[in-house]
Every structure is written in structure tokens, then in C-alpha cells.
Amino acid sequence: VRLVGPAGEQVGVVRVEDALRLAQEADLDLVEVAPDAHPPVAKLMDYGKFKYESAMKARDARRNQANTVLKEIRFRLKIDPHDYETKKGHVVRFLKGGDKVKVMIMFRGREQSRPEMGMRLLQRLADDVAELGSVESAPRLDGRNMTMVIGPHKKKAEAKHEQRRKREAERAEKKGSAPADEAAADVAPADAAGGAAPAEPTAS
């Protein structure tokens, strides 16, 4: 086998018997790491420690992995300004969270003959959220609906990490302001008591 030492150093091609002897002398395990190589590659290592570290890396990878979700939000063609701002706020929240947004405009009755109005509304929304996301799927008609997909600039994992960091900063700021408020509360009663202190009696 081609033997690799515990620190990754190349020992060379040795007989299996010699590799096992070296493993026993070093109180380590002989682990075959590349069985299809010619000759096969084996490494001297603490196999229990190797399995533990591999499990920890896999757990960290799963923790940091975040799947992007496709959110959907629907608009009417004749939407009033207040409703538009409310729905735009939802789109902003989704994009900040690292999710894609499928925006759908539902046409009713004669509105189907005015697809250009739907295009203008979707373009307006895309322009309003351009700092957070970009159009991944251009507006297209799908039956009585028109759809568009906006993707976030930030990946889901980055967005989650940023939100976590922001929450921690806010908590730290609240903790930092608490002692000052308590100190002010301690001073106020003392001042009030001082102002209400009775005058010393004077001898006549």
C-alpha cells in the first residue's frame, strides 16, 4: 500500500505487514482511504477521532445549509396605493430573508385585453425592490394570470446570518442601556428626598 503518515506526510509504498506494524507502534489505526488507487492508499490515523470530526463537520454543514423558498404574492391589476405598499412590504421581507418571490397578477373580465398594464405594474415593483433582488423570470402570461419571479441578491444562509447578527447587536444595545436607566432611577428619589428635607430648628 502507499502509506500516508498521521500528519499527511508520504511514507512511501510499503508492505501491508509493515504498515500494520507502524500503526501498532504509533498506537494508531491503519485506514484504507483510496482503495481504487494503484497501489491502494492507506493512512495512519486515530479512526475514532476521525469519525467524530467528520460527524461534526457534517452537522455544521447541515446547520449552515439553508434552502431557498419560493414565496408567492398576488396583485390585482387595479390595486390601490395602500394595498400596493402593503404587498410590496411583504416582497421586501421575503427578499431580505433570502427567498425568491413569485409575483402574480390576476386579470378579471376585460382586464385580460390590457396585458401591458400588468407589465407596467410588475416592472414598477421590480424597480421598487431593485436594491434587494433582481428579475429571474421575466413577466409572462399564464392563462388569466401574469407571473414574474424575483430572486434575492443575498443567499439564504447569508441573509439568516445577517439577521442573527442584527438581533444579537440589538440585544447587546438593550443590555448596555439598562444600567444607565437604573442609575437615573436611583438618582431621582435621592433628589426628591433632598428637596423635601425639613429645615433644621433654630434656637431663639
Side-chain angles (χ1 to χ4, degrees):
V1 295
R2 186 176 300 280
L3 187 62
V4 179
E9 70 276 13
Q10 295 289 333
V11 177
V13 179
V14 300
R15 294 188 308 160
V16 174
E17 295 82 357
D18 294 332
L20 287 168
R21 178 177 52 79
L22 290 170
Q24 287 177 348
E25 290 174 357
D27 195 22
L28 293 171
D29 302 304
L30 181 65
V31 181
E32 189 177 44
V33 292
D36 296 331
H38 298 285
V41 180
K43 185 175 181 180
L44 298 174
M45 65 171 72
D46 182 337
Y47 189 59
K49 182 180 178 183
F50 170 74
K51 284 180 67 177
Y52 173 77
E53 290 176 348
S54 297
M56 289 299 100
K57 286 178 183 177
R59 190 182 71 177
D60 290 341
R62 286 195 301 271
R63 183 183 299 163
N64 293 328
Q65 183 181 15
N67 296 322
T68 299
V69 178
L70 180 62
K71 304 284 189 178
E72 184 175 300
I73 193 155
R74 301 182 179 190
F75 285 73
R76 291 289 185 190
L77 189 61
K78 295 177 180 177
I79 188 170
D80 67 66
H82 176 73
D83 285 345
Y84 175 83
E85 290 299 324
T86 300
K87 289 181 181 287
K88 185 182 78 173
H90 295 322
V91 175
V92 167
R93 189 176 79 250
F94 296 149
L95 292 174
K96 281 184 176 179
D99 293 316
K100 294 183 181 183
V101 184
K102 179 180 180 182
V103 186
M104 179 184 294
I105 293 180
M106 298 176 291
F107 294 97
R108 290 185 295 185
R110 296 180 183 177
E111 293 175 352
Q112 289 181 267
S113 64
R114 303 296 302 276
E116 69 279 1
M117 292 178 65
M119 293 281 287
R120 282 201 295 269
L121 180 57
L122 291 176
Q123 187 58 53
R124 173 189 171 191
L125 179 65
D127 292 341
D128 287 346
V129 299
E131 290 185 2
L132 300 171
S134 57
V135 176
E136 288 191 359
S137 177
R140 64 184 181 86
L141 274 172
D142 183 13
R144 300 171 73 178
N145 303 320
M146 181 176 283
T147 59
M148 176 181 74
V149 176
I150 303 175
H153 292 321
K154 291 181 181 176
K155 292 182 179 178
K156 181 88 172 180
E158 293 175 3
K160 286 181 71 176
H161 179 68
E162 187 174 305
Q163 288 174 350
R164 192 182 310 121
R165 197 169 53 199
K166 187 177 179 181
R167 285 196 300 268
E168 289 172 357
E170 287 174 353
R171 280 199 293 266
E173 189 176 338
K174 286 179 182 177
K175 285 181 181 177
S177 63
D181 295 341
E182 289 169 7
D186 290 342
V187 170
D191 291 344
E200 290 291 329
T202 55
S204 54

